[in-house]
Amino acid sequence: MYQIKRGIPIKDINFNCFKATSGRYRYKMVCDDIFTFDTETTSDFLDENNRPFMFDYDNPEKAQKAVKHSIVYLWQFGINDNRYVGRELSDFVDLLYELKQYCPFKKFIFIHNLSFDHNFLCNVLKFDDVFARTPRHPITATVNYFNVEFRCSYVLMQLGLEKWAESNNLPVKKLTGLLDYSVMRTPLTPLTDDEMNYALADLDVMYYGLMALKKQYGHICNFPLTHTGKTRLACTEKMKKEVNYNIKVTSLMPQTLNEYITQAHAFIGGVVLCNWLYKNRVIEDLDAYDIASSYPWVLINCKYPSSRFYNAPKGKEKRYMYNDNYLYIVHFKAYGVESNYNCHFLSTSKALTLQDVMRDNGRLVSCSSCEYVLTNIDYELFLRCYSTQKIDIISFKFCRCDYLNNTFRKFVIELYKNKTTLKNVDGKEELYMNSKQSINSLYGDFVTKIFCDEVVFKQKVGAVDNWDKILLNDENFAEKLRSVNKKRFTNYKAFIQGVFVTAHARARIFHAVVNGLDEHIVYTDTDSLKVYDYDGDYFEKQNEIVLTRHAEIARDLGIDINELSPVDIKGIKHPIGVWERENHIKRFKSLGCKQYICEYDDGKLYLTCAGVSKLAVKCFASVDDFNIHTTLTEKQLKACSDGKGHTAEKLTPYYANNYPDVVYPDGYVAKTRYGVCLMPTTFNLSITPDDLFTLYTVIKDKLNKTYYERKNEI
């Protein structure tokens, strides 16, 4: 049986139900109370006799070879500020039966990280409908019998519970450091008050956070499903009167699957690279520059497709090149390709074909032939960044271009202004966070893949995998397109516009490369540069150009130019789109993309490594210790602590749906089949064998040549 930990019995709750008047639940009775759910679990491992044991940091191999297993030992459920707990998941089902009796209408139950708890709930619930964009990561999961829809609040907020409470100034906070996850617990294990309070505090954060969202959206059924969806709703509201523009934008949607595939080929994300001249070297005395809101800037400053794409007449392609009135997408094959710079432009992962290729951390150095689909922005950069023997144009499609809608551009500027002026202002935390999250999500909204494979969940115990995909084909593409066209009066963006957002942003980075900074750029990531031994005026001149554009944009939009240079709480101006100088870096070392360590002038070390917490910096005494083939052990990562209950421990999830019966030392018998075991793992600083070969051959020769040339210049 479950227990009431705080509040009143379910039968005494006066549920707030009403008939929805709009949206996907229109004319349906829904419950507007806030329901929350969470679990506490034990991750253990089974020996050859199915006896459980915990992970041993001094002997990790034992767990690595064992069967991974997990159980729920506590669940918590909230109805508004009422709290209910149980030790067995079957008790939660009993609660749902009771809940159905007193509130039979549609209910929305929020779980922070549904992808984790969903697998455990499969032990006791039969899900009728699961919506997900990727396998094992459900966004919603519905159980019709109980009329409940589980939703992922993490997907909605993109914030951990601790950060959610802090950034939104909630009256509660997540408790940390009170639960030792290395202890084996079962539903029979007595829990201390601290352990129980730790669990209940998570629901408190969710409750108050969702209360704030309810105030913003009116009703829970109006909540968007995703973080990007929050921005989409805000933009839709701003653009609801721009019907003609919205209809025009909808006409830019790809009309066939092949057209969409071409656009998807042309889409390239933000550029992240380490100049191979500086890879695996300690570089001293670096300056760092960052573009103030790079993606929002190109949304208000640059032109985007404003018509459908048309095939250019054969041999007439040049009339559309370097022409401000047109954009184009070109499919080409190039031969005898060799990079002109040390910062290599194209990613080999986007190539349709490659032969005899030399790579630099996944970027194209040279090849005998390559085939790409690129926007005009990327193609014209390709012509500058690479020498070629021959280029064959396979297809060349052009369109007219124009700036985005003025109402939308003004909204971008409004969000940027709020994000800048309201930071750290008492009483404005909610508006600040909404503006910050919205402006950071604008680009993501444009490139949300409306046309994508369908992820299907089929719940079957013992199956190899409960998840499957229905690949995008002509038939389901046409169906998705019809759905998009039905929303043509409110749809304000097209995927192809998002393709050009990143292209415009990349162009600013590589404009620096091709204008004298190639040998000075040590590292770049999307909107930032770390430069070495450079005393030129490139950044100052670029900022003058940006400020000139400010005046033109303000005139076109009929706004005060100061809207583009808002002032923060300290009285400092922050012009959008300019290169801002960041903290000086004393020493820096990178092993490649998203793998670097730096020491600032205050002597503190900072680490950025994809796949591991920044706290792992405590594993290094200095920049010099950051070396190829270094392995950070499970024990080392766990020891990297901030003293507040957080560590750098790296956990790998192992999903299962075929657990055996397991008898625990306290006599508890686990008969669950589904679960997720979180196993500590190591982190390796490494580069690919190809990059390793290049590092000690080609790059070594280049370094010697560069040193010789600079010596002669002196």
Side-chain angles (χ1 to χ4, degrees):
M1 286 291 294
Y2 71 86
Q3 294 179 314
I4 302 173
K5 274 294 176 181
R6 188 193 309 161
I8 60 178
I10 291 176
K11 66 182 179 63
D12 294 334
I13 295 176
N14 184 20
F15 290 99
N16 180 17
C17 301
F18 73 104
K19 182 180 285 188
T21 58
S22 62
R24 111 186 227 208
Y25 299 100
R26 190 177 184 183
Y27 304 137
K28 294 181 180 180
M29 291 296 296
V30 297
C31 183
D32 211 25
D33 292 289
I34 295 176
F35 298 94
T36 52
F37 180 80
D38 191 23
T39 63
E40 301 301 332
T41 67
T42 292
S43 290
D44 51 65
F45 306 86
L46 307 180
D47 64 17
E48 60 276 7
N49 296 313
N50 287 340
R51 290 178 301 200
F53 62 91
M54 299 303 288
F55 189 87
D56 183 352
Y57 289 89
D58 292 317
N59 184 20
E61 294 81 7
K62 183 180 178 182
Q64 291 164 4
K65 296 175 181 178
V67 173
K68 284 68 176 173
H69 184 258
S70 58
I71 58 166
V72 172
Y73 65 83
L74 175 70
W75 58 262
Q76 310 89 258
F77 184 70
I79 304 176
N80 299 323
D81 57 355
N82 300 288
R83 299 289 176 263
Y84 311 89
V85 301
R87 305 302 300 269
E88 298 270 10
L89 283 175
S90 57
D91 297 333
F92 177 57
V93 177
D94 292 338
L95 182 147
L96 290 178
Y97 274 110
E98 185 178 353
L99 185 59
K100 179 186 177 184
Q101 179 182 353
Y102 295 103
C103 181
F105 305 119
K106 189 74 172 184
K107 298 166 285 292
F108 305 96
I109 302 175
F110 290 88
I111 299 178
H112 211 67
N113 196 0
L114 179 58
S115 63
F116 181 78
D117 287 314
H118 171 259
N119 216 50
F120 289 101
L121 287 173
C122 285
N123 286 298
V124 293
L125 296 175
K126 176 67 175 177
F127 290 97
D128 299 287
D129 183 48
V130 175
F131 170 62
R133 294 196 181 279
T134 56
R136 303 197 187 285
H137 291 83
I139 298 172
T140 68
T142 303
V143 181
N144 292 335
Y145 181 81
F146 294 113
N147 211 358
V148 297
E149 179 181 300
F150 293 92
R151 289 190 175 187
C152 185
S153 53
Y154 180 80
V155 171
L156 174 60
M157 297 304 300
Q158 288 298 303
L159 292 170
L161 290 175
E162 185 175 5
K163 194 67 176 178
W164 189 0
E166 289 176 0
S167 60
N168 288 268
N169 198 30
L170 300 181
V172 295
K173 63 180 181 179
K174 177 176 172 58
L175 301 182
T176 58
L178 298 180
L179 202 60
D180 184 354
Y181 286 96
S182 65
V183 175
M184 182 181 290
R185 297 182 181 88
T186 77
L188 299 180
T189 304
L191 299 178
T192 66
D193 289 343
D194 280 347
E195 290 169 336
M196 184 61 71
N197 291 334
Y198 173 91
L200 294 176
D202 288 355
L203 294 190
D204 292 341
V205 172
M206 293 170 66
Y207 168 63
Y208 283 102
L210 293 168
M211 278 283 286
L213 288 177
K214 188 177 177 182
K215 185 188 299 184
Q216 180 181 352
Y217 293 105
H219 298 291
I220 292 173
C221 62
N222 296 335
F223 284 15
L225 296 180
T226 66
H227 183 65
T228 304
K230 292 171 64 179
T231 302
R232 189 177 304 119
L233 284 178
C235 290
T236 299
E237 179 64 24
K238 284 287 182 180
M239 295 290 291
K240 64 183 180 182
K241 295 182 179 179
E242 305 291 340
V243 176
N244 291 334
Y245 176 82
N246 294 341
I247 293 173
K248 182 179 179 181
V249 166
T250 304
S251 71
L252 303 182
M253 293 290 184
Q255 300 301 299
T256 66
L257 178 56
N258 283 338
E259 185 180 356
Y260 172 69
I261 290 172
T262 297
Q263 294 182 7
H265 284 321
F267 172 64
I268 304 173
V271 56
V272 182
L273 66 84
C274 174
N275 187 326
W276 69 349
L277 290 180
Y278 302 108
K279 191 180 297 182
N280 197 37
R281 294 174 59 199
V282 175
I283 310 299
E284 298 184 350
D285 191 20
L286 278 77
D287 292 312
Y289 295 87
D290 194 73
I291 299 173
S293 291
S294 176
Y295 286 165
W297 168 244
V298 298
L299 283 170
I300 66 172
N301 179 59
C302 300
K303 290 184 177 182
Y304 296 87
S306 61
S307 75
R308 297 208 35 79
F309 282 81
Y310 303 96
N311 288 315
K314 197 70 175 175
K316 303 293 184 180
E317 295 90 355
K318 286 189 177 180
R319 71 169 62 173
Y320 304 105
M321 296 177 66
Y322 308 102
N323 188 327
D324 289 341
N325 296 316
Y326 297 98
L327 299 174
Y328 60 84
I329 292 178
V330 58
H331 180 186
F332 68 96
K333 189 166 186 176
Y335 301 86
V337 179
E338 187 167 348
S339 177
N340 298 325
Y341 299 97
N342 296 298
C343 293
H344 303 117
F345 176 52
L346 282 179
S347 169
T348 55
S349 66
K350 296 299 296 186
L352 303 185
T353 63
L354 278 172
Q355 284 190 331
D356 304 323
V357 62
M358 176 185 288
R359 293 179 175 87
D360 164 31
N361 205 185
R363 309 195 78 80
L364 179 63
V365 178
S366 64
C367 62
S368 60
S369 70
C370 63
E371 186 179 345
Y372 280 90
V373 175
L374 300 179
T375 65
N376 61 291
I377 299 164
D378 290 324
Y379 181 65
E380 288 164 17
L381 271 171
F382 168 80
L383 296 179
R384 292 193 67 177
C385 290
Y386 294 92
S387 300
T388 61
Q389 296 174 359
K390 175 187 174 186
I391 297 178
D392 290 337
I393 302 297
I394 298 171
S395 73
F396 190 106
K397 298 177 184 292
F398 71 93
C399 71
R400 291 196 171 275
C401 62
D402 203 348
Y403 296 107
L404 298 178
N405 176 271
N406 284 352
T407 299
F408 179 81
R409 294 165 76 198
K410 287 179 182 178
F411 183 49
V412 176
I413 294 169
E414 176 189 335
L415 292 175
Y416 179 72
K417 179 182 176 182
N418 288 342
K419 169 193 162 188
T420 304
T421 60
L422 301 180
K423 185 175 182 180
N424 297 324
V425 176
D426 291 340
K428 298 293 184 180
E429 293 87 359
E430 187 175 333
L431 180 56
Y432 165 72
M433 276 305 299
N434 286 338
S435 298
K436 180 181 178 181
Q437 290 178 336
S438 291
I439 201 167
N440 291 342
S441 299
L442 282 171
Y443 150 71
D445 185 32
F446 274 83
V447 294
T448 297
K449 291 187 177 180
I450 303 172
F451 309 104
C452 58
D453 300 334
E454 183 180 350
V455 176
V456 179
F457 176 73
K458 298 177 181 178
Q459 192 170 341
K460 187 177 180 182
V461 174
V464 175
D465 194 350
N466 284 178
W467 295 89
D468 200 2
K469 275 188 177 183
I470 299 176
L471 299 181
L472 194 62
N473 54 45
D474 290 329
E475 184 178 347
N476 55 34
F477 175 85
E479 183 180 337
K480 293 175 188 290
L481 181 60
R482 283 192 293 271
S483 177
V484 170
N485 287 332
K486 288 179 182 178
K487 301 175 182 177
R488 62 189 178 279
F489 300 116
T490 57
N491 176 59
Y492 57 89
K493 39 79 180 176
F495 177 74
I496 187 61
Q497 294 171 323
V499 172
F500 278 86
V501 169
T502 52
H504 284 306
R506 262 192 315 279
R508 289 201 71 186
I509 297 295
F510 272 89
H511 183 274
V513 172
V514 301
N515 281 278
L517 273 76
D518 176 49
E519 290 190 0
H520 300 282
I521 294 173
V522 176
Y523 191 90
T524 178
D525 188 345
T526 309
D527 59 358
S528 64
L529 293 175
K530 292 176 174 57
V531 298
Y532 167 67
D533 192 26
Y534 180 73
D535 58 2
D537 58 358
Y538 173 83
F539 298 102
E540 290 77 12
K541 287 184 175 179
Q542 286 300 302
N543 285 349
E544 289 174 7
I545 295 172
V546 170
L547 294 177
T548 300
R549 280 293 295 147
H550 277 202
E552 296 167 354
I553 292 170
R555 184 182 64 246
D556 292 345
L557 298 180
I559 62 174
D560 187 332
I561 192 173
N562 291 319
E563 298 288 299
L564 295 156
S565 300
V567 179
D568 67 19
I569 194 173
K570 297 179 180 178
I572 301 172
K573 272 190 174 185
H574 293 275
I576 187 172
V578 300
W579 285 101
E580 294 182 321
R581 194 162 190 159
E582 300 296 314
N583 292 333
H584 176 265
I585 300 172
K586 184 178 179 181
R587 305 179 81 225
F588 178 91
K589 186 176 184 180
S590 175
L591 305 181
C593 297
K594 300 288 187 182
Q595 281 198 100
Y596 67 82
I597 190 171
C598 53
E599 178 187 347
Y600 288 100
D601 290 339
D602 60 5
K604 291 183 179 179
L605 296 178
Y606 291 85
L607 176 76
T608 293
C609 270
V612 72
S613 165
K614 291 182 181 295
L615 287 174
V617 72
K618 294 175 178 285
C619 291
F620 304 96
S622 74
V623 170
D624 303 279
D625 296 333
F626 192 72
N627 295 313
I628 298 172
H629 301 317
T630 297
T631 296
L632 306 181
T633 67
E634 300 91 344
K635 190 172 184 178
Q636 283 178 303
L637 292 171
K638 187 174 177 61
C640 296
S641 170
D642 63 356
K644 300 177 182 178
H646 309 110
T647 73
E649 187 169 36
K650 181 177 169 62
L651 300 172
T652 300
Y654 289 85
Y655 290 79
N657 62 354
N658 58 353
Y659 286 158
D661 289 355
V662 176
V663 179
Y664 282 82
D666 63 2
Y668 178 75
V669 181
K671 295 188 176 184
T672 53
R673 300 292 173 255
Y674 290 86
V676 185
C677 176
L678 300 177
M679 187 176 81
T681 188
T682 60
F683 183 78
N684 299 309
L685 297 176
S686 61
I687 62 176
T688 67
D690 285 348
D691 284 335
L692 194 62
F693 174 78
T694 304
L695 184 64
Y696 291 107
T697 54
V698 179
I699 298 177
K700 187 176 180 181
D701 291 342
K702 273 186 167 287
L703 286 173
N704 290 335
K705 182 181 178 183
T706 302
Y707 172 78
Y708 176 76
E709 289 174 347
R710 286 189 176 179
K711 188 175 180 180
N712 283 347
E713 288 174 4
I714 295 171

